[in-house]
Amino acid sequence: MTSKDAGAPGLARLAGLIADETRAACLLALLDGRAWTAGELARHAGVAPSTLSEHLGKLVAGGLLAEERQGRHRYVRLAGARVAQLVEDLAAQVAPEAGARRPRTLRESSAGSALARGRTCYDHLAGRLGIALTDAFTARGLLVQDTGFALTEAGLAWFGSAGIRLDRTGRRPLARACLDWTERRPHLAGVAGAALCRHALDAGWCVRIGSGRAVKVTEAGEQALSGLLGIGAAALR
């Protein structure tokens, strides 16, 4: 008789938390990096608020979500970057054809196209935009992808010259590969990916589309990214 691995019960509990379509929908929605109210998530998931509340309670208790209360409102967000990485990595393993339905309306089709073009993946940029940035960093010798993502000395200097501060005091990796679920290729995550995304939004290089995860590059962003990384406008649209 072999002894059961000590981590098996915890892994099974974690898998059980995610193995529910409503809870999975909430986790994917929260990949935009922002806090949502329970009512907003209920509408997004298409369930009653009372039902959603039960699901949120399980996700909070399981350590996947963090809860904040402001007056009568209850806000939830992903518990951190590691949870976001877990959700995105799992989503990348699901083939788009598996169980997917075609968009029923032009609005749904447009929203899907916008997400594929550019979006936030928790706190960094993903989609074709994220891949274009990653490719540009690699082509210019700012990023290497040998056994994993790593910024070169030239890459560190690039962030400094662009006025983008990198917080190197924490335990989070400076650069990390995150498998893009629409492009099926890794894009830049970690401290560098988060700093680039934050700067792009703050500087007006990118703007959010509606209330979801989709973003688009502005004219100012096209000019900045062309000058800083040599990315053509066509690759950003």
Side-chain angles (χ1 to χ4, degrees), residues 201-214:
L201 291 170
D202 290 345
W205 295 357
C206 296
V207 293
R208 293 187 183 273
I209 302 175
S211 59
R213 297 170 57 195

Side-chain angles (χ1 to χ4, degrees), residues 188-204:
L188 176 64
V191 171
L196 179 61
C197 177
R198 184 168 56 251
H199 184 82
L201 291 170
D202 290 345

Side-chain angles (χ1 to χ4, degrees), residues 72-194:
R72 295 184 297 107
H73 295 290
R74 177 192 190 190
Y75 291 88
V76 292
R77 63 171 71 246
L78 294 181
R82 292 182 64 184
V83 175
Q85 178 183 344
L86 172 66
V87 175
E88 185 78 6
D89 286 349
L90 287 174
Q93 302 305 315
V94 182
E97 299 80 11
R101 61 171 177 79
R102 292 185 176 182
R104 292 176 294 185
T105 64
L106 178 60
R107 182 177 181 180
E108 283 190 0
S109 178
S110 298
S113 296
L115 282 173
R117 182 172 59 248
R119 65 183 181 277
T120 53
C121 173
Y122 187 55
D123 61 0
H124 56 272
L125 296 168
R128 291 196 298 274
L129 170 59
I131 295 299
L133 290 167
T134 302
D135 286 347
F137 272 104
T138 305
R140 288 181 166 242
L142 309 178
L143 177 74
V144 292
Q145 303 185 35
D146 297 337
T147 57
F149 277 18
L151 288 181
T152 64
E153 289 298 323
L156 292 171
W158 182 92
F159 275 89
S161 64
I164 304 175
R165 179 178 175 274
L166 296 177
D167 183 2
R168 306 175 68 178
T169 60
R171 298 173 59 186
R172 190 177 185 187
L174 190 59
R176 179 181 67 79
C178 180
L179 183 60
D180 197 292
W181 63 267
T182 53
E183 297 301 302
R184 303 288 156 167
R185 294 175 54 200
H187 56 244
L188 176 64
V191 171

